[in-house]
Amino acid sequence: MRSKFVTFIVISFLILIGLIGWLGYQSFSTGFSAKAEPHWLEVFFARQLRYLAIPLENRNLRNPVPLTHDSLKEARAHFADHCAVCHGNSGDGQTPIGRNVYPKSPDLRLADTQDMSDGELFFIIQNGIRFTAMPGWGTGDPSKDTDSWKLVHFIRHLPRLTQEELEEMKTLNPKTKIESEEEAAFERFLQGDDASVPGAPIHRH
Amino acid sequence: MIVLMLGLGPAWAMAHGTGQHVLGTVVVIDATHIEVKTQKGASVSVNLTDKTTFSSKMLKRPSGRPEAGDRVVIEVMTEGNVITATEVQYSSPKPKGTK
């Protein structure tokens, strides 16, 4: 009986060593890249940790800011100015930054985000998420918390965002001088000005 | 677990491109791709997906999509040799200097 147990322990140990060796080989032969897609196991544990990181008291908070046309409009402008650079105006995360950070910016319109409680969304906006690109925007000033609660309303609205709202948000996105010039050149091209066309068929940002 | 999490990541690596644009005139468009002729004469084929958005400040077409002959500015992302459109802006102007 004892010898069987010892054999089991030795075999388990050897399998563990082999597994660590294989993972080490994988890591050293491929390296780490922020462009990688997280493995489902990593996603699972990361989401569990994110859930545990939000205190129960905060998780159960309800949005104290009434949902009105004005509060939604204000949050839309806020999102376009502060959040869209990573999350995209539509919340799909398909931006040069959102696609290339690790983990990727999630599609905020999907159930993974929409199923979270108001309190969870608020906590994440205020405190960020460790080991991700999501910063914490909380200032410790309760009077400014209302902006984050309005953003929670807007995140809930993302799946029903209209084309008109998207167009308005484009005008509110912060732009560098180069981006402004590029956008103006694209507009002139669309209006028939051939001189605006960049030299290469594919223009990199 | 940390070793497991760190080790498994690289095995599922995917390459993504950065923000790029294709400018030109539509030659052919169907549900899955759009072929654009650039002003320098090059032909670029871009895939369309259900996530591709279309917009035009000048036109309102029932299909909501550009047609052959329209000018387009396409925001794309590349993965290897595959070019996929994320956003298509289009218009149907006459080039300046024509009547």
Side-chain angles (χ1 to χ4, degrees):
Chain A
M1 183 66 187
R2 182 184 165 85
S3 65
K4 278 186 179 176
F5 179 72
V6 170
T7 304
F8 174 76
I9 292 293
V10 169
I11 289 173
S12 298
F13 181 72
L14 290 174
I15 289 173
L16 185 64
I17 291 293
L19 187 62
I20 291 172
W22 180 77
L23 291 173
Y25 172 76
Q26 288 285 316
S27 301
F28 287 115
S29 60
T30 60
F32 297 119
S33 169
K35 287 176 171 292
E37 289 287 348
H39 187 260
W40 67 266
L41 202 58
E42 185 178 346
V43 173
F44 173 78
F45 281 107
R47 291 210 170 135
Q48 296 305 311
L49 286 171
R50 185 183 68 184
Y51 181 78
L52 292 172
I54 302 173
L56 185 63
E57 183 186 355
N58 296 71
R59 209 179 295 153
N60 293 332
L61 287 175
R62 297 239 175 144
N63 198 332
V65 176
L67 175 58
T68 64
H69 175 78
D70 286 346
S71 63
L72 205 55
K73 185 175 182 180
E74 199 179 313
R76 194 164 62 236
H78 188 163
F79 191 92
D81 189 41
H82 286 73
C83 315
V85 65
C86 294
H87 290 288
N89 285 330
S90 67
D92 65 2
Q94 295 299 309
T95 68
I97 294 176
R99 283 196 298 267
N100 292 298
V101 291
Y102 189 91
K104 315 282 174 237
S105 286
D107 189 333
L108 300 177
R109 302 167 300 183
L110 301 181
D112 285 337
T113 298
Q114 294 295 324
D115 286 350
M116 296 174 81
S117 70
D118 285 356
E120 286 175 308
L121 293 174
F122 177 77
F123 187 90
I124 288 171
I125 294 168
Q126 290 288 93
N127 297 283
I129 306 174
R130 284 190 186 186
F131 307 115
T132 74
M134 179 66 192
W137 297 98
T139 61
D141 179 356
S143 68
K144 292 183 179 173
D145 287 354
T146 54
D147 288 342
S148 296
W149 281 118
K150 287 173 187 173
L151 281 173
V152 171
H153 279 314
F154 181 70
I155 291 168
R156 297 272 183 240
H157 177 68
L158 281 171
R160 299 180 302 282
L161 206 62
T162 66
Q163 190 61 40
E164 288 72 27
E165 289 173 317
L166 278 171
E167 291 300 322
E168 184 202 58
M169 291 176 79
K170 281 183 192 172
T171 67
L172 301 170
N173 293 143
K175 293 180 180 70
T176 63
K177 186 170 180 282
I178 291 173
E179 286 170 336
S180 297
E181 289 171 356
E182 184 182 70
E183 194 174 287
F186 292 163
E187 192 58 41
R188 288 196 299 274
F189 171 75
L190 287 170
Q191 289 173 3
D193 183 357
D194 290 332
S196 300
V197 183
I202 295 178
H203 179 77
R204 285 181 181 275
H205 272 210
Chain B
M1 184 48 68
I2 290 171
V3 170
L4 190 68
M5 287 163 72
L6 292 175
L8 286 175
W12 279 267
M14 282 177 65
H16 290 272
T18 56
Q20 302 170 338
H21 289 89
V22 175
L23 281 72
T25 304
V26 179
V27 179
V28 178
I29 179 169
D30 60 28
T32 58
H33 94 290
I34 182 170
E35 194 175 319
V36 175
K37 187 176 182 182
T38 69
Q39 298 306 101
K40 288 201 167 186
S43 187
V44 181
S45 181
V46 181
N47 290 338
L48 302 174
T49 70
D50 55 359
K51 289 185 176 177
T52 305
T53 60
F54 298 87
S55 65
S56 176
K57 290 180 181 172
M58 306 166 81
L59 299 171
K60 285 198 174 178
R61 295 225 171 88
S63 67
R65 291 189 169 211
E67 296 175 353
D70 287 349
R71 285 189 172 211
V72 286
V73 173
I74 309 175
E75 186 181 288
V76 300
M77 55 182 186
T78 57
E79 200 171 318
N81 291 326
V82 179
I83 306 174
T84 304
T86 54
E87 182 185 8
V88 181
Q89 296 177 63
Y90 63 96
S91 67
S92 187
K94 289 179 180 175
K96 283 183 178 173
T98 62
K99 292 183 180 178

